[in-house]
Amino acid sequence: MDRVSSFDEPLKKLLGGATAKVMAEHLDLHTVGDLLHHYPRRYEERGKLTALADLPLDEHVTVVAQVADARILTFNNGRGKRLEVTLTDGSGRLQLVFFGHGVHKPHKELLPGRQAMFAGKVSVFNRKMQLAHPTYQLLDASDADEATEAVDAFAGRLLPIYPACKQLDSWRIAKAVDAVLPSAQDAVDPLPASLREGRGFTPLPEALLKVHRPQTKADIEDAKARLKWDEAFVLQVALARRRYADTQLPAAARRPVADGLLDAFDAKLPFTLTEGQEKVSKEIFDDLATEHPMHRLLQGEVGSGKTMVALRAMLAVVDAGGQAAMLAPTEVLAQQHHRSITEMMGELAEGGMLGGSEQGTKVVLLTGSMGTAARRQALLDLVTGEAGIVIGTHALIEDKVQFHDLGLVVVDEQHRFGVEQRDALRSKGKQPPHLLVMTATPIPRTVAMTVFGDLETSVLDQLPAGRSPIASHVVPAKDKPHFLARAWERVREEVENGHQAYVVCPRIGDDAEEAEGKKGKAKKKTAEEDPEKRPPLAVLEIADELRKGALAGLSVEVLHGRMHPDEKDDVMRRFAAGDVDVLVATTVIEVGVNVPNATAMVIMDADRFGVSQLHQLRGRVGRGSAAGLCLLVSEAHEASPARARLSAVAATLDGFELSRIDLEQRREGDVLGQAQSGVRSSLRMLTVIDDEEVIAAAREEAVAIVAADPELEHLPELRTVLAALLDKEREKYLDKG
């Protein structure tokens, strides 16, 4: 077998169809290479017990513990049987329960004093932590064969505990790994020999062996150092090659002209730019003046004035004879941007119209739902060059749309746009246009180097004058229903003081959504079996309840993505004008909606949103001179990770701090995220939050290697590994973010 193909070998050849099927469906592992890169999550020492006190709720865990006692209880007048086993480890206790016919075997085997590995999902019942129907493997089995096997596998060694799933326990994964471990010898080593020796790294086959079957803790450290470096390095080489390719592209330099549109705009600004805005604008203008396309990521807190910076860049490009396009993720946001930009520009946005300014240009909107006549006019203004600025949704990318001379593309909220869409828009210029990507989701430096590694980064971290503080509180609706009642009283008080409020729900609750849900659902558990599984709260239901109950007498309106665009626009206009007291909405209000008079926000089922999303939503209040209030309503259990997340959001307004917490919470997941890539991501060992030095050093090495040998002609192994990891599709996907 040649060196690459043993890693490409399908798992079903070695493990049998049933196991391979579970691995493919539940763990996304398909080949020998995939399984060898499925590293243990942690290691237990044989004879040493797991800390039961620290188990995370709702997660599938594997623990090593000792049986303290076991007893069978009957219920339903003796017709039903339940086995309760108590485990102990010195730090705490954990209860196991088995029901029905499943009680006989564990009752015979799980005797007090016995030690075993147990795997299952941690839940809470009667305020006690428990595992229901866990699978287990005795570590001091009485059956001679089983005992020998268990002792052989684990005696004197560190027990690898693998990320597992309900269908496949950690120890079964360990057995499967044993079957493929000989293939580790065939691993293609991507590191140039000089780099490997210079940094004293373990050879790759040895690192794979040590990570799966360590003899000592030093083995684990050795293996991790090597495998982390590989991941960081291969990724940084891919990004360095992208950046290098981009610097080879030609672009028209766009320099602002004196006494042009930009100067006229600056002269009418009623305020001065913050120091941060000045600094970032300079970075952007320097990039625009070069003959290679700018690729810059502009990140800034909600409300830090990114739109102002982007608009000034667009005006500079129009001054230089080009056109600028701003791409927004939703129609609501495109309309909002169009409205705020034309308001900021005043008569400068009415070029060629009666009463418009001499220096002005036309600012057009282009969305999928526009009427035919308006759309035809917008397309005509673009192709003739009459319109210097266009703002739109991805309708801008359609084939029909042609520009006179596209010089700059501004993408708002990058994480919602694929790189294919970005490239489609880029191809509309005579030469590649300059590119500015904006995000209000603060990104820690290491993630910026990893996920957005092909973009230069600018950060706006000062808030403009006049922004108010926002107080945030968690409202535990289940434990303390009177807190929720008080939350609605607070909303009423804000409205009585002349302000407005948002109520955000995770779901719409209309027929179309229900039908989709039914279509895609398998057999649903009854609520009795799993009370946690109720559907998320819905906009239409909550709005109805509030109108009839807690907020009766106030003007309550709804806003969600399935409304007709005119209807959405109408509601937003009336809310902005102050005619609507309370807006009950989905996350369509997450970015860009700007109503300074809205001071309160209640987020229902807040635990169903991510940390960054909650921070984004909260940024919609406190935009005027009055203080903001954000109430995070949740039924999550006090000890759950979901509640810990909400407490973190309530405790700080610093987006960068929250993005770190978000990453730490999601570290089991993959930083590049499976959703972003059609292909499986490469990060298994590297935690972007802890390994800043590794990433920075790998980036330096990668840049030097690519500068010396852009095609990697002298590094065939590195080329092979890159090709396997980042086939053409994957390389494109890298900056989907």
Side-chain angles (χ1 to χ4, degrees), residues 436-464:
L436 180 65
V437 169
M438 300 198 294
T439 177
T441 310
I443 304 162
R445 180 172 159 257
T446 39
V447 181
M449 283 198 299
T450 309
V451 183
F452 297 106
D454 65 331
L455 301 168
E456 297 298 327
T457 305
S458 293
V459 179
L460 270 179
D461 46 14
Q462 285 172 301
L463 287 188

Side-chain angles (χ1 to χ4, degrees), residues 248-408:
Q248 303 307 299
L249 295 171
R254 311 278 179 174
R255 298 181 183 86
V257 295
D259 301 326
L261 190 52
L262 179 61
D263 284 352
F265 175 76
D266 283 350
K268 22 183 277 137
L269 276 183
F271 50 81
T272 54
L273 297 176
T274 65
E275 215 175 294
Q277 285 174 319
E278 293 276 14
K279 179 176 139 287
V280 169
S281 291
K282 184 182 178 330
E283 291 170 352
I284 291 170
F285 289 150
D286 288 350
D287 282 359
L288 289 174
T290 63
E291 290 178 0
H292 303 296
M294 162 170 84
H295 288 102
R296 191 167 280 282
L297 172 70
L298 170 56
Q299 47 167 327
E301 278 288 13
V302 176
S304 56
K306 293 182 301 296
T307 312
M308 172 61 70
V309 169
L311 175 56
R312 293 183 70 246
M314 295 199 288
L315 296 174
V317 168
V318 174
D319 268 349
Q323 289 168 295
M326 185 181 227
L327 211 52
T330 63
E331 295 214 348
V332 168
L333 195 52
Q335 288 160 347
Q336 178 90 25
H337 276 318
H338 183 253
R339 203 158 45 236
S340 62
I341 282 173
T342 46
E343 277 166 16
M344 282 197 267
M345 286 175 65
E347 76 279 7
L348 294 174
E350 296 164 2
M353 296 184 218
L354 208 57
S357 158
E358 287 290 297
Q359 292 134 312
T361 186
K362 218 170 183 184
V363 179
V364 299
L365 177 68
L366 190 62
T367 63
S369 64
M370 279 168 73
T372 320
R375 188 181 170 77
R376 192 177 296 131
Q377 185 58 53
L379 290 171
L380 189 66
D381 288 341
L382 286 179
V383 78
T384 58
E386 185 84 9
I389 294 176
V390 57
I391 294 149
T393 54
H394 44 255
L396 278 178
I397 300 169
E398 289 170 12
D399 292 344
K400 287 195 211 74
V401 182
Q402 291 182 346
F403 291 85
H404 176 64
D405 179 14
L406 180 61
L408 170 67

Side-chain angles (χ1 to χ4, degrees), residues 47-225:
K48 200 172 172 192
L49 303 176
T50 313
L52 297 179
D54 307 332
L55 291 180
L57 263 182
D58 293 334
E59 275 193 32
H60 192 89
V61 299
T62 302
V63 298
V64 176
Q66 194 164 26
V67 177
D69 79 340
R71 55 198 165 158
I72 285 191
L73 306 170
T74 56
F75 54 95
N76 272 359
N77 295 329
R79 288 196 299 276
K81 281 186 177 177
R82 180 168 86 238
L83 170 65
E84 287 189 359
V85 179
T86 307
L87 302 182
T88 176
D89 67 341
S91 81
R93 288 174 168 255
L94 177 68
Q95 199 166 46
L96 313 180
V97 286
F98 300 88
F99 293 99
H101 300 304
V103 304
H104 305 301
K105 187 171 182 250
H107 190 224
K108 279 198 305 223
E109 294 182 335
L110 298 176
L111 304 171
R114 271 285 173 82
Q115 217 183 40
M117 279 202 286
F118 300 90
K121 191 174 180 182
V122 184
S123 57
V124 168
F125 183 71
N126 279 346
R127 299 194 174 271
K128 281 187 186 152
M129 302 261 260
Q130 71 165 24
L131 299 182
H133 277 286
T135 51
Y136 61 89
Q137 183 174 26
L138 299 171
L139 293 181
D140 48 6
S142 51
D143 172 63
D145 289 347
E146 215 177 301
T148 319
E149 197 176 313
V151 171
D152 280 355
F154 303 118
R157 286 218 199 140
L158 293 152
L159 301 182
I161 306 293
Y162 286 92
C165 60
K166 189 176 162 190
Q167 296 77 1
L168 203 63
D169 317 303
S170 170
W171 51 89
R172 293 212 180 96
I173 295 172
K175 271 188 177 159
V177 169
D178 285 335
V180 301
L181 256 183
S183 301
Q185 292 311 318
D186 302 326
V188 176
D189 198 324
L191 295 194
S194 58
L195 196 160
R196 190 173 66 236
E197 285 148 21
R199 290 185 175 265
F201 286 131
T202 306
L204 184 56
E206 195 184 315
L208 289 169
L209 211 59
K210 281 179 169 177
V211 80
H212 289 292
R213 298 294 171 262
Q215 301 292 327
T216 62
K217 288 184 177 168
D219 281 356
I220 299 170
E221 291 315 307
D222 265 7
K224 280 187 168 177

